[in-house]
Amino acid sequence: MARRFPTVPRCPSAVPPPSCVSRLPLAPPLPGVPALPSAVGRHGCGRPVAAAAAAGGAVALALQPLPRRCRLPVGGADPRRLPALLRGAPRPPPPALGPRAAPRRPAPSLRQRGHEPGAPGAAPCAGWHLSIADASHFQFKPIFLGTVHPRSELAQHRRVVNSQKCVRAGGKHNDLEDVGRDTYHHTFFEMLGNWSFGDYFKEEACSMAWELLTEVYEIPRDRLYVTYFGGDPSLGLSADEECRDVWLRLGVPASHVLPFSLKDNFWEMGDTGPCGPCTEIHYDHVGGGRNAAALVNQGNPDVVEIWNLVFMQYSREVEGNLLPLPQHHVDTGMGLERLVTVLQNKRSNYDTDLFTPILDAIHKGCRAPRYQGLVGDADVGHVNMAYRVVADHVRTLCVCITDGIYPGFSGAELVLRRILRRAVRFCSEVLQAPPGLLASLVPTVVEVLGDAYPELTRNANQIKDIINENEAAFLSSLERGRRIIERTVQQMEPSTNFPAEVAWSLYGSLGFPRDLIDLMLEEKGISLDSAAFNELALEDAKRKAGGPQAGQPGNTNTQLDVHSLAQLRSSSVPATDDSPKYAYTLGRHGHYEFSPCQATVLMLYRDQSLQKEVGAGQRCGVILDRTNFYAEQGGQDSDQGYMIRLGQQDVLFPVESVHLCGGYVIHEVTAVETLRVGDQVQLFVDEVQRLACMTNHTATHLLNFALRHVLGDSAEQRGSHVTAERLRFDFDAKGHVTVEQLQQVEQVVQDLIKKNEVVHMAEVPLTLARRVRGLRAVDEGYPDPVRIVSLGVPVENVLTCDSKAAMQTSVELCCGTHLLRTGSVEDLAIVSERQLVRGISRVIAVTGGQAKEAREVGQCLAMEVDSVSLRMQQRITSIPEMQNLSKEVGQLTQVVASTVMPQWQRKELQTSLKALQRTANTAIKKLELQQVLRQQHPDLQPG
């Protein structure tokens, strides 16, 4: 018989009841209660962890909530989804929830406990992929550190409850490789959390959690185990006996209250910042009166953590020491997926109605047996693992794409690309599914999550299109990679490791994630030579970090010497035709399309000599008759990518850099197999890296125009450097650019971006180009004919006699690759401006998402400075208090100086902070003088 959860007068919970599937009775939103930014992400078991950190240039999603676009109605679900009916289930197992019966909004009695709903899925102010240690902008940090503006809205909150979307797929705590192998790890999950800011602490937090689980959810007490921090003598931290005693007073048997070390029961957001001991609640899926204490925190799938309560009472300082926070706070997290598994009386998260519809849809679309829930050796052929991988990953793809994160080659986009490719590979090779299965699952995901997250419904078609486009691209690469692995394995000696050079070509050229390579090799019973692979990765990282040091010779494989150049010419080897580098179009959905290029090897260059043949494993320069690769010139970094030999599609030659010398384009290549003159090859450019360079190069032209528009014609270009990450521009200047001028320059660029002007490009005779009025050109040798790049005005118009069109827009001589529309730049922020020498200034700028992120960081820092300023205006009579305030100003000054943010805003904040520091120093001196006077004259009245 179906029944409802009991509605108790005093709901003990500070946590929103579970979401997405079965729903509990919910309360309507409180009128006038604002949506709050939600907290840091947590992994699937509910343990909050550090924000993602950059690793090797790739910033992982690692536990961070998704960006601000991630929005859910306050509290979560549509009121239409609140029947709160339960499927009948025998006890002692907990009552099973029926489909869509778990709410994200707090129950009415939760409101009686004073918890206000917070906005789910909101990102930290500094950008969702920055850690608090790097940016100090976690949205609740001012509260934790007591630095919140006393009159701010944030300072008024004492208890907050929220539900948020989280993705955990990279960084320090990476679950990606575990997903599919077991039944309880996920890349995307929903986190339920409650917060206390200087209000209740351990006693009430534990009591509310225990009452919610055992009385409201009716989970048998004998199946629950709690852990607490057992202390760490090396840090001078004693065991959290206070927490232990709370659990014992609540009636938890001593045998179920277990101490654990720093690793399991002390939570830190990052290297610095708020931290403290935590207590975790674990559930034994087996029960039956057994004592499962020995299985807690041992990775046993039958004893799983479901809720973590963090008591933030310390701040980790830069020096590594711990200082008490001004107030004690509570931050808890309970993973919805694991909670629903308990409430629906299941042994696996994948057996709940969060996943079963998706698993059924997978079965209908593939030729594999039905999902059986098998793991380990019992899962022959990894079929059940494949089901779990695809079901989990397609949810992640839907959520991330909806929130504006697309598969790409850096940061979160790179992580998502790996997730998509991992899912496609399992679909294709394990489940034997036809192309398109992954996208066909989107409607099912929308059906499961769409009511709670209506943005999924609105973006379903876009999600399918993006998945299909990326799947098609990877299937081609996957088949090629499979052939490469099979061919290499056949040629290997028995009991040897897979060669690192081949794995590196898969990783760098075809975009195979490392874990995918390991998995494909594991299935063949062989392993990768990890040490050699890591050495190649280290070499690549060093190469990308910069070129040869001053005084050292350049690369002997790419810098043709004078004798080799003469030999090439005397042998009538023609110069390289690199015009195909400009052969790209703007396709549907605003995506750029680059065509591959077929070419012939004309000569090889190694160790400063021309060669007809280069052996496997050797690095050399390859000269072709034509190429679509952009060689490093004009301040723009070279392309990267790979080439394949025609007729031998399973052999990739990674192109690591490209240089131009004497009309010859030299491609730096590591030969995977013997490469010979006369070989026919096909070239493939790294499109993401190329597009990033195009964006920043076009933005450089916009910046050049804007600087001259604001500063005058005297702001002549002195040099520039364009990479995929940022742009640098040097120009003549009489002094530092002012705050107002920086703002004006950015505004001019913004206006040009919003106009989405056409970028016109054409080659014209150099003598004709030189006559263009207003032409921007640096003092360097240009080819003849020369390429003109004009924004918004056709090249033929600027060439007209006496035309003034070039005076009103950007017209430059430029051989670089550019966008076809200015709107693709999206945004530009100048993040640095300084004088190199007297009269020459250098600015550094970022574009697109990096620019947006820099602005968000700047806004958050501005709020912190305002908070300090207001507190400085208060009447402070305590010397230590004023000294602490002075120290905080000093710390903020350091952060402002080192953080990537708009330069105009940095200058404003630095001016404010200098004034605050002077004020603080003056106040301290005054208070010290008053103290001395009072000591000398005790009868002297204060004031």
Side-chain angles (χ1 to χ4, degrees):
M1 175 180 177
R3 61 186 180 86
R4 297 181 181 273
F5 268 118
T7 301
V8 296
R10 290 179 63 253
C11 174
S13 169
V15 174
S19 63
C20 198
V21 288
S22 317
R23 308 281 180 224
L24 292 177
L26 309 181
L30 286 176
V33 174
L36 290 179
S38 66
V40 287
R42 299 171 175 77
H43 61 58
C45 67
R47 180 183 300 131
V49 299
V59 183
L61 282 173
L63 305 197
Q64 279 303 93
L66 296 173
R68 285 188 179 80
R69 285 183 292 269
C70 242
R71 281 293 180 266
L72 180 70
V74 173
D78 188 301
R80 293 172 296 178
R81 298 189 62 189
L82 311 178
L85 297 176
L86 305 176
R87 287 197 297 267
R91 294 181 66 185
L97 290 171
R100 295 176 172 83
R104 290 187 178 81
R105 290 179 182 168
S109 52
L110 239 178
R111 299 294 179 79
Q112 297 170 9
R113 291 284 181 109
H115 286 83
E116 300 180 71
C125 295
W128 58 274
H129 69 276
L130 289 180
S131 69
I132 187 172
D134 294 333
S136 302
H137 294 309
F138 170 58
Q139 62 268 37
F140 290 140
K141 185 184 178 185
I143 298 181
F144 300 150
L145 297 181
T147 61
V148 65
H149 190 306
R151 295 201 298 269
S152 70
E153 186 178 28
L154 192 61
Q156 310 310 313
H157 298 294
R158 292 293 177 266
R159 302 184 177 197
V160 173
V161 62
N162 64 1
S163 168
Q164 65 188 35
K165 297 178 279 187
C166 297
V167 173
R168 185 171 195 254
K172 180 180 177 182
H173 305 274
N174 187 356
D175 280 349
L176 181 57
E177 295 183 29
D178 293 326
V179 172
R181 297 180 185 273
D182 58 36
T183 61
Y184 53 91
H185 279 96
H186 302 288
T187 51
F188 161 70
F189 56 95
E190 300 179 81
M191 181 57 58
L192 316 175
N194 62 295
W195 306 75
S196 167
F197 305 125
D199 191 0
Y200 62 82
F201 202 45
K202 297 177 183 180
E203 179 84 32
E204 193 169 358
C206 294
S207 299
M208 289 190 289
W210 189 250
E211 190 175 344
L212 175 68
L213 294 178
T214 61
E215 297 185 21
V216 178
Y217 292 161
E218 300 181 11
I219 296 175
R221 297 169 181 247
D222 61 354
R223 293 198 180 198
L224 296 175
Y225 296 80
V226 296
T227 66
Y228 67 93
F229 178 51
D232 191 310
S234 66
L235 295 176
L237 296 174
S238 58
D240 192 357
E241 297 178 354
E242 177 188 0
C243 177
R244 179 200 63 187
D245 293 344
V246 169
W247 289 118
L248 294 176
R249 288 196 298 271
L250 288 171
V252 182
S255 60
H256 286 221
V257 182
L258 312 171
F260 280 89
S261 66
L262 192 81
K263 173 178 175 292
D264 294 303
N265 279 87
F266 195 91
W267 174 82
E268 300 193 57
M269 190 181 302
D271 294 334
T272 61
C275 58
C278 63
T279 180
E280 300 171 343
I281 303 174
H282 298 250
Y283 176 77
D284 177 17
H285 284 283
V286 176
R290 72 169 183 167
N291 189 323
L295 301 178
V296 173
N297 278 337
Q298 299 303 311
N300 189 296
D302 289 327
V303 182
V304 180
E305 175 193 344
I306 59 174
W307 202 347
N308 188 19
L309 288 69
V310 180
F311 307 121
M312 284 190 281
Q313 56 192 89
Y314 300 107
S315 175
R316 174 78 69 180
E317 300 301 299
V318 176
E319 298 80 9
N321 59 309
L322 294 174
L323 295 180
L325 288 172
Q327 291 182 309
H328 290 171
H329 312 287
V330 174
D331 162 20
T332 85
M334 177 159 55
L336 170 72
E337 290 76 11
R338 295 189 181 189
L339 177 63
V340 171
T341 300
V342 173
L343 297 181
Q344 291 189 350
N345 194 22
K346 304 293 184 181
R347 296 284 286 273
S348 162
N349 294 1
Y350 292 91
D351 292 336
T352 68
D353 53 12
L354 283 167
F355 289 95
T356 51
I358 304 173
L359 296 171
D360 290 342
I362 294 172
H363 176 65
K364 293 177 182 177
C366 72
R367 291 184 287 273
R370 185 175 291 275
Y371 177 71
Q372 296 176 287
L374 302 176
V375 296
D377 294 338
D379 183 18
V380 179
H382 300 295
V383 172
N384 289 266
M385 177 181 177
Y387 267 99
R388 290 187 289 267
V389 167
V390 175
D392 172 272
H393 289 8
V394 73
R395 285 169 26 113
T396 304
L397 289 165
C398 288
V399 169
C400 289
I401 292 172
T402 295
D403 289 312
I405 304 171
Y406 306 113
F409 276 73
S410 64
E413 290 79 9
L414 175 61
V415 176
L416 194 63
R417 179 175 183 256
R418 290 173 175 166
I419 290 173
L420 185 145
R421 292 191 162 202
R422 190 168 186 255
V424 170
R425 192 259 167 170
F426 276 99
C427 283
S428 172
E429 297 201 349
V430 181
L431 297 177
Q432 300 295 307
L437 172 64
L438 201 59
S440 74
L441 302 176
V442 172
T444 306
V445 175
V446 171
E447 181 182 353
V448 174
L449 299 177
D451 285 354
Y453 303 116
E455 62 270 24
L456 289 172
T457 304
R458 295 191 298 268
N459 292 280
N461 291 333
Q462 180 195 26
I463 297 170
K464 289 191 288 186
D465 288 344
I466 292 175
I467 290 177
N468 277 330
E469 289 174 8
N470 282 271
E471 179 184 33
F474 181 55
L475 282 175
S476 174
S477 298
L478 182 63
E479 179 59 25
R480 186 177 300 159
R482 185 184 59 79
R483 291 199 304 267
I484 291 173
I485 289 177
E486 290 180 352
R487 183 171 177 272
T488 305
V489 170
Q490 291 173 1
Q491 297 175 351
M492 286 170 53
E493 297 291 334
S495 303
T496 58
N497 287 333
F498 191 82
E501 295 82 5
V502 179
W504 182 254
S505 70
L506 293 173
Y507 178 86
S509 301
L510 290 184
F512 274 44
R514 168 68 187 275
D515 67 300
L516 177 57
I517 297 173
D518 289 336
L519 188 60
M520 295 175 75
L521 296 179
E522 177 187 317
E523 292 174 353
K524 295 185 177 297
I526 57 178
S527 59
L528 174 64
D529 185 347
S530 297
F533 184 93
N534 292 336
E535 185 175 345
L536 288 173
L538 182 61
E539 290 178 1
D540 183 68
K542 289 181 178 178
R543 181 185 60 79
K544 291 180 177 178
Q549 298 298 315
Q552 295 181 350
N555 193 317
T556 58
N557 297 324
T558 57
Q559 301 298 326
L560 291 173
D561 63 282
V562 64
H563 304 292
S564 297
L565 276 170
Q567 185 178 348
L568 286 170
R569 289 165 181 156
S570 65
S571 302
S572 299
V573 176
T576 310
D577 173 17
D578 63 352
S579 60
K581 68 188 179 186
Y582 299 125
Y584 50 88
T585 59
L586 189 57
R588 68 192 190 102
H589 302 309
H591 294 162
Y592 282 80
E593 298 175 356
F594 302 83
S595 299
C597 173
Q598 185 172 323
T600 301
V601 177
L602 299 182
M603 192 59 68
L604 301 169
Y605 186 69
R606 175 175 169 79
D607 295 334
Q608 292 187 304
S609 67
L610 299 176
Q611 301 181 14
K612 299 284 187 180
E613 181 178 304
V614 171
Q618 294 182 326
R619 182 166 293 180
C620 66
V622 180
I623 300 174
L624 306 170
D625 62 337
R626 63 199 307 266
T627 183
N628 60 346
F629 278 73
Y630 184 84
E632 182 178 358
Q633 57 183 315
Q636 178 178 328
D637 271 7
S638 72
D639 283 337
Q640 295 176 350
Y642 64 94
M643 61 177 68
I644 61 174
R645 185 186 287 116
L646 292 184
Q648 199 173 8
Q649 305 293 310
D650 54 348
V651 179
L652 277 69
F653 299 87
V655 177
E656 300 169 0
S657 65
V658 187
H659 301 267
L660 182 65
C661 187
Y664 298 100
V665 176
I666 302 97
H667 306 75
E668 186 179 10
V669 167
T670 299
V672 179
E673 288 191 356
T674 301
L675 191 61
R676 300 178 178 88
V677 169
D679 283 349
Q680 301 290 307
V681 295
Q682 195 168 19
L683 309 176
F684 296 87
V685 169
D686 182 334
E687 299 176 3
V688 175
Q689 192 253 2
R690 159 72 81 84
L691 182 57
C693 285
M694 289 165 52
T695 299
N696 286 340
H697 205 150
T698 300
T700 301
H701 285 213
L702 296 175
L703 179 62
N704 188 4
F705 173 78
L707 284 167
R708 294 186 65 171
H709 181 81
V710 173
L711 302 180
D713 291 339
S714 61
E716 288 284 352
Q717 179 178 348
R718 284 297 189 102
S720 66
H721 186 211
V722 173
T723 70
E725 291 75 32
R726 53 105 174 117
L727 62 95
R728 188 194 73 207
F729 192 83
D730 301 337
F731 60 99
D732 291 330
K734 298 178 180 179
H736 284 292
V737 184
T738 66
V739 168
E740 293 75 19
Q741 288 171 333
L742 286 170
Q743 291 174 320
Q744 291 171 17
V745 168
E746 286 192 0
Q747 187 58 56
V748 171
V749 174
Q750 293 292 335
D751 292 341
L752 290 171
I753 292 173
K754 291 177 182 177
K755 289 180 179 179
N756 196 23
E757 299 277 18
V758 174
V759 180
H760 299 276
M761 292 168 279
E763 285 191 347
V764 301
L766 183 57
T767 54
L768 184 60
R770 294 280 189 194
R771 299 174 187 168
V772 175
R773 297 181 62 184
L775 179 73
R776 277 79 168 174
V778 294
D779 186 17
E780 66 178 33
Y782 287 98
D784 192 7
V786 67
R787 193 170 178 82
I788 289 183
V789 178
S790 173
L791 303 185
V793 180
V795 174
E796 55 267 26
N797 290 1
V798 302
L799 293 174
T800 303
C801 184
D802 295 327
S803 171
K804 296 183 180 180
M807 305 291 290
Q808 309 301 322
T809 186
S810 169
V811 180
E812 295 192 34
L813 301 183
C814 183
C815 62
T817 56
H818 286 271
L819 299 171
L820 301 179
R821 289 268 185 177
T822 61
S824 298
V825 176
E826 297 181 356
D827 194 6
L828 179 140
I830 298 172
V831 297
S832 174
E833 185 275 328
R834 66 184 180 91
Q835 281 203 316
L836 296 179
V837 294
R838 186 175 180 85
I840 299 179
S841 287
R842 167 173 290 177
V843 295
I844 295 175
V846 293
T847 60
Q850 288 180 287
K852 179 180 179 182
E853 180 179 288
R855 297 187 191 284
E856 292 175 349
V857 170
Q859 289 301 314
C860 290
L861 277 174
M863 292 174 62
E864 291 196 24
V865 173
D866 287 343
S867 173
V868 172
S869 177
L870 284 172
R871 282 182 287 140
M872 193 79 74
Q873 296 172 19
Q874 298 175 358
R875 182 178 177 83
I876 298 177
T877 58
S878 166
I879 293 178
E881 186 178 352
M882 183 56 73
Q883 288 174 335
N884 287 335
L885 200 56
S886 176
K887 180 182 178 181
E888 187 175 342
V889 172
Q891 292 172 338
L892 264 177
T893 300
Q894 293 178 352
V895 172
V896 168
S898 60
T899 300
V900 176
M901 61 185 294
Q903 180 68 8
W904 66 264
Q905 193 168 33
R906 187 195 320 276
K907 288 188 173 184
E908 283 190 341
L909 295 182
Q910 287 174 331
T911 299
S912 298
L913 287 167
K914 286 181 180 178
L916 289 173
Q917 192 67 70
R918 287 195 298 269
T919 301
N921 293 341
T922 301
I924 291 172
K925 291 179 180 178
K926 182 177 179 181
L927 290 172
E928 289 174 343
L929 177 61
Q930 292 175 351
Q931 185 180 62
V932 171
L933 290 174
R934 283 195 297 271
Q935 291 173 350
Q936 296 175 347
H937 306 281
D939 57 337
L940 187 67
Q941 294 296 322

